[in-house]
Every structure is written in structure tokens, then in C-alpha cells.
Amino acid sequence: MRNYLLDDIYEEDVKKISAALAELEFQGPIEGIFYLPVPEELLIDEQKEHMGECGPFFMALEVEETSVKVELLVRARNKIRCSCVAYATSEQRNHMMEYIDKFIADLEISY
């Protein structure tokens, strides 16, 4: 699996990140898992075509004790297996890495 890992984060900062993600209602069904939406304009054609049946699309973020890990796989909320579920394109990957970096910076957390 391809991931973007931010580690060596203080536990209290990880809690701050989790709380902020929960406030945005990004919480997944499992504790410590959050769903970061992929903007529609960044979806590939197949994902756009499958939006009604498979979407919305997201990347999963996992919060651990001293780290935050984003899977660089674009998942579909309504289907586990489909050809529209794919590794992030360069644009999707760059967007999500920049998004999470800014999100953490906005919380005034340094890592």
C-alpha cells in the first residue's frame, strides 16, 4: 500500500488532529479512521462516471499514537471493489499531501 506518513508527532497533537477531523465530520466507522474527501474536479473520468453508484470518493487517514498515515488509494464509499477504486493520480496525491500538511499547520502543530 502506498502511504503518506507523518510520524514522531506528540500524542497531545495527535489528539488535537483527531478532534479537528471529527469536528469536520470526517470520522469513519472505525475509531482512528477518517475519510478525507477527494474533490470532484480531481476525480478521473471513470470515478466521475461512477459517482452515482460508487461515490463519493475519499482517501483514508489513520491516526495512531504518534503518527498520522494517509493511504494514497482513492476509495469509493458505496463499493469496496470496482475499477474506479485506484491509487491516487499525481494530482490527487499532491492535493491530499498539501491538504493534510496545511491542516496540521493550521492547528499550529509542528512535526
Side-chain angles (χ1 to χ4, degrees):
M1 178 65 66
R2 299 174 190 161
N3 297 293
Y4 179 49
L5 175 66
L6 305 174
D7 61 357
D8 293 330
I9 303 172
Y10 292 113
E11 283 185 55
E12 54 272 7
D13 289 335
V14 170
K15 289 177 185 174
K16 195 175 179 182
I17 293 167
S18 292
L21 290 167
E23 188 174 309
L24 291 170
E25 299 182 357
F26 288 167
Q27 188 111 29
I30 300 170
E31 187 175 338
I33 300 293
F34 297 89
Y35 293 164
L36 303 177
V38 177
E40 279 192 52
E41 64 270 13
L42 294 180
L43 298 177
I44 60 173
D45 289 341
E46 185 175 15
Q47 290 165 339
K48 289 177 184 175
E49 291 168 9
H50 289 213
M51 180 59 87
E53 184 179 344
C54 299
F57 294 92
F58 66 92
M59 288 188 210
L61 179 144
E62 183 177 359
V63 174
E64 297 178 336
E65 225 174 270
T66 60
S67 66
V68 173
K69 177 173 64 175
V70 180
E71 286 185 353
L72 299 175
L73 177 71
V74 178
R75 296 179 180 270
R77 178 78 65 136
N78 293 314
K79 265 196 182 173
I80 293 174
R81 293 182 189 259
C82 183
S83 57
C84 65
V85 174
Y87 279 110
T89 64
S90 296
E91 292 82 13
Q92 291 167 335
R93 182 185 65 239
N94 291 341
H95 165 79
M96 198 56 67
M97 291 169 64
E98 289 171 9
Y99 176 85
I100 199 65
D101 286 346
K102 183 179 181 324
F103 182 82
I104 290 172
D106 288 349
L107 293 173
E108 299 179 354
I109 295 171
S110 58
Y111 56 95

